[in-house]
Amino acid sequence: MRVTLSPDYAPSDDEEFMNPMQLEYFRQMLLNWRSSLIQEAGETLNNLNSGNLQQPDMADRASLETDHQIELRTRDRERKLIIKIDEALSRIENGTYGFCEDTDEPIGLKRLMARPIAVLSLEAQERHERQERTHRED
């Protein structure tokens, strides 16, 4: 059963963490973000299909090809982001959203507002990044 949110609702630290209102807030945020990314991907596809690489000027053609490559790389990153959004939506459904995968502690509202696909608390993320740097230096 879905909760109806008022248009001015914002999660607060004064509430129980990941109560039904907060879960619905993040679910809607993730769905809107996902929808926006899918719409942009469709626009990219239309742009690429309508783009004519048969430019007579070599510089124009090279510039157009570079633009297409950049756009495709951006869309690939966004495709991966959509996968992470889908995983976050699954975590909302199974009741694990908002809790750190390493420690099972709450991730925190500020972090989730900034990065709604976060799976680690700030402390766990920092620890993970330090370990990655250490392994890269070896």
Side-chain angles (χ1 to χ4, degrees), residues 9-15 18 21-22 25-26 29 109 113:
Y9 174 79
S12 163
D13 288 327
D14 297 336
E15 305 172 86
M18 287 301 121
M21 300 263 297
Q22 288 182 358
Y25 176 86
F26 285 108
M29 176 189 283
L109 289 176
M113 294 293 285

Side-chain angles (χ1 to χ4, degrees), residues 110-124:
K110 287 181 183 177
R111 178 155 168 77
L112 289 171
M113 294 293 285
R115 185 120 177 108
I117 58 173
V119 294
L120 298 173
S121 66
L122 187 57
E123 296 80 18

Side-chain angles (χ1 to χ4, degrees), residues 10-71:
S12 163
D13 288 327
D14 297 336
E15 305 172 86
E16 177 187 346
F17 187 71
M18 287 301 121
N19 65 59
M21 300 263 297
Q22 288 182 358
L23 288 171
E24 182 60 17
Y25 176 86
F26 285 108
R27 188 182 78 77
Q28 287 181 18
M29 176 189 283
L30 290 161
L31 287 172
N32 290 337
W33 190 11
R34 185 182 191 284
S35 176
S36 172
L37 291 171
I38 289 173
Q39 181 180 349
E40 289 174 17
E43 291 170 6
T44 296
L45 188 57
N46 289 338
N47 290 342
L48 292 176
N49 285 336
S50 66
N52 183 8
L53 287 177
Q54 302 304 320
Q55 298 288 330
D57 182 51
M58 293 295 280
D60 288 345
R61 184 179 348 178
S63 177
L64 191 57
E65 286 175 1
T66 300
D67 291 347
H68 284 181
Q69 289 173 347
I70 291 169
E71 197 159 345

Side-chain angles (χ1 to χ4, degrees), residues 93-104:
E93 294 303 317
N94 70 27
T96 60
Y97 183 80
F99 294 91
C100 179
E101 286 184 350
D102 282 356
T103 65
D104 291 328

